[in-house]
Amino acid sequence: MQSVPSTVHERFADVALRRPEAPALIDEDGPVTYAELQAAGSRLARALVSLCTDDDRLIAARLGRSRSAPVGFLGILGSGRGYLPIDPDYPPARRSFLLDDSGTRLVVTDGALEPDETLVAKVDSLSIAVRGTGSVQSWQDVPAGTAYVIYTSGSTGAPKGCVVGHDQVLALLDACAEEFAFRPADVWTVFHSFSFDFSVWELWGALLNGSTAVLVPQQVARDPDAFVRLLTAHQVTVVSQTPSMFGFLVGRLRRDSRSLPHLRYAVLGGEAVNLQDALVWLEGDMAPNALLVNMYGITETTVHVTYGVLDAHICRSPELKHTPIGRPLRHLEVSLRDSAGQPVADGTPGEIWVAGSGVASGYLGRPELTQQRFVTDSAEDVPERYYRSGDWAIRQADGTLYYIGRVDGQVKLRGHRIELGEVEAALTSLVGVRGVACALKVNQAGQHILVAYLVTGPDADLDPGRIRAHLGDRLPAHLRPHQFKRVTSLPVTANGKLDRAALPALPGLDWPTSSVRI
């Protein structure tokens, strides 16, 4: 009996062998066949093998939304290393932090080199560079079998790298094969940044099922009209969206009385679903042949944890108080726990603990944090390694899970997980800022936005324009607040902790500068 490929790139090679002339992906330059993609990845892999040392277990991939990205990922994986995706649109300080923190020495890029990088090889349109400041300080934390490291927002002010293996990615896709009827004829969109783990599902879900991946240019992803045209032109059958972006898509289809008859699956994830948007989608027959699927997930448990189909009956239920997220995928177990770590009964809120073959190895170079969040527990009789999510949920007697919210200061906005502490740390570094807190609020359009509340000195030379410029050099766009509000002080609870719930009611002060640049 032939063995099943045990790595992402080996499984891709198996698909390419069976479907060499089929279109693997489509970008702005046209289609690329499976054979062409496999050949390009192999050329890069051979070059990387000749340049790597035994300590190079992770290679940075600073690649845009084009064919260069999957070629780069396949080449890095084929060389026996894991890839670190770095969005080239991130601010320079963020890009540098990811490289320095991970200790990566080699960089594969389709763009310009950084000042501390030296070109060592060219493979087709890709450059391989060595970093003058690179080290392998964290290589011990990159175990054999690592597929990628994706950085998530950090509560201490610094992002943290989550180490995910081939086994975890394949376990996710194999589990989803039981819930979805994917087929080679499917056309998927790859809508999200490769530094956001939703893209792992989009890209490898398409390629390892023998389907076609349409790489959505960033300018199209930001334009609902252009995105609808892309969905129609390529007759897309599988689309993945955060609920925020899904709302824009629903609004545009509703305005133009259009539908997507070719669509088979619309997958939502990354944040709580707006059930009104889901209801408009369903009752408006915007995708009459598609299932609307809500999938709760976490980077540390490899993209998706649960699967639940949304229908009009569910969305209209008068008893519905929280977001339905379905049931765990077959390779995972969800246990709801109280503050003492003990399992709670059905109908009682508890923190989501996740165990199973999708749980990541841990955090890169952060053993103490790994120990805190990845725990071994036998409260349910069998010792299991769990990831403590910090998310609060409730399970009904029929096994359906409902998402309630965050336990701590972490929020999700437009699909991105944001540790408010990271944003607050960047704002605290501003001269003249004496106190800062961030919180989500709903604006007049019904959308969630991130607001920063700042206590500043009377002589502080600050205004929203200067603050935005400061953050633009330090944080990626999804971490930057939409509004800045100057306040006299920050509210606290009776036990002296920040009262985030009281922030929106605070009266605002004028900014002290004479020329306020909004």
Side-chain angles (χ1 to χ4, degrees), residues 371-400:
Q371 189 174 13
Q372 292 170 11
R373 302 297 292 274
F374 295 84
V375 299
T376 299
D377 184 83
S378 56
E380 295 182 344
D381 298 328
V382 180
E384 289 273 13
R385 181 171 179 267
Y386 288 91
Y387 174 70
R388 300 183 59 172
S389 71
D391 287 322
W392 211 245
I394 192 169
R395 179 188 280 114
Q396 299 297 350
D398 66 356
T400 303

Side-chain angles (χ1 to χ4, degrees), residues 273 275 294-295 308 310 314-315 320 322-326 400-403:
V273 171
L275 293 176
N294 189 29
M295 302 187 79
L310 296 177
I314 292 173
C315 296
L320 191 62
H322 305 294
T323 302
I325 56 175
T400 303
L401 292 161
Y402 296 82
Y403 178 78

Side-chain angles (χ1 to χ4, degrees), residues 73 83 85 148 150 188-206 215 240 303-304:
F73 300 155
Y83 65 88
Y148 62 82
I150 282 182
W188 296 53
T189 51
V190 181
F191 183 91
H192 300 91
S193 164
F194 291 113
S195 291
F196 178 26
D197 74 326
F198 214 166
S199 68
V200 171
W201 153 260
E202 295 177 296
L203 179 64
W204 300 118
L215 307 185
S240 298
V303 191
H304 295 311

Side-chain angles (χ1 to χ4, degrees), residues 7-80:
T7 64
V8 171
H9 57 286
E10 287 172 344
R11 189 171 292 191
F12 173 83
D14 184 62
V15 175
L17 187 63
R18 289 183 283 109
R19 294 177 52 76
E21 300 307 316
L25 61 86
I26 299 172
D27 65 4
E28 290 184 290
D29 292 325
V32 179
T33 68
Y34 272 90
E36 290 169 337
L37 186 53
Q38 171 67 7
S42 296
R43 288 194 294 271
L44 178 62
R46 289 192 293 271
L48 289 172
V49 167
S50 69
L51 294 168
C52 286
T53 69
D54 290 341
D55 292 342
D56 290 309
R57 298 192 183 180
L58 197 64
I59 297 175
R62 193 171 62 241
L63 301 164
R65 300 191 194 188
S66 71
R67 63 189 65 189
S68 297
V71 169
F73 300 155
L74 285 167
I76 293 170
L77 294 176
S79 75

Side-chain angles (χ1 to χ4, degrees), residues 168-188:
Q168 282 92 56
V169 177
L170 296 181
L172 166 72
L173 298 179
D174 289 344
C176 287
E178 295 192 359
E179 303 291 353
F180 297 87
F182 294 136
R183 58 197 186 193
D186 279 322
V187 179
W188 296 53

Side-chain angles (χ1 to χ4, degrees), residues 248-323:
F248 291 121
L249 176 60
V250 170
R252 198 49 47 102
L253 291 172
R254 186 181 192 182
R255 186 199 70 180
D256 297 338
S257 298
R258 297 183 66 175
S259 67
L260 302 170
H262 295 100
L263 199 64
R264 300 178 62 231
Y265 296 104
V267 178
L268 304 180
E271 59 188 354
V273 171
N274 182 324
L275 293 176
Q276 184 58 40
D277 285 340
L279 196 58
V280 171
W281 169 275
L282 292 163
E283 295 190 336
D285 277 339
M286 293 179 177
N289 301 307
L291 284 181
L292 182 61
V293 181
N294 189 29
M295 302 187 79
Y296 163 82
I298 321 164
T299 303
E300 288 85 347
T301 56
T302 315
V303 191
H304 295 311
V305 173
T306 67
Y307 169 98
V309 175
L310 296 177
D311 59 27
H313 174 73
I314 292 173
C315 296
R316 281 197 174 279
S317 172
E319 299 177 356
L320 191 62
K321 297 180 180 179
H322 305 294
T323 302

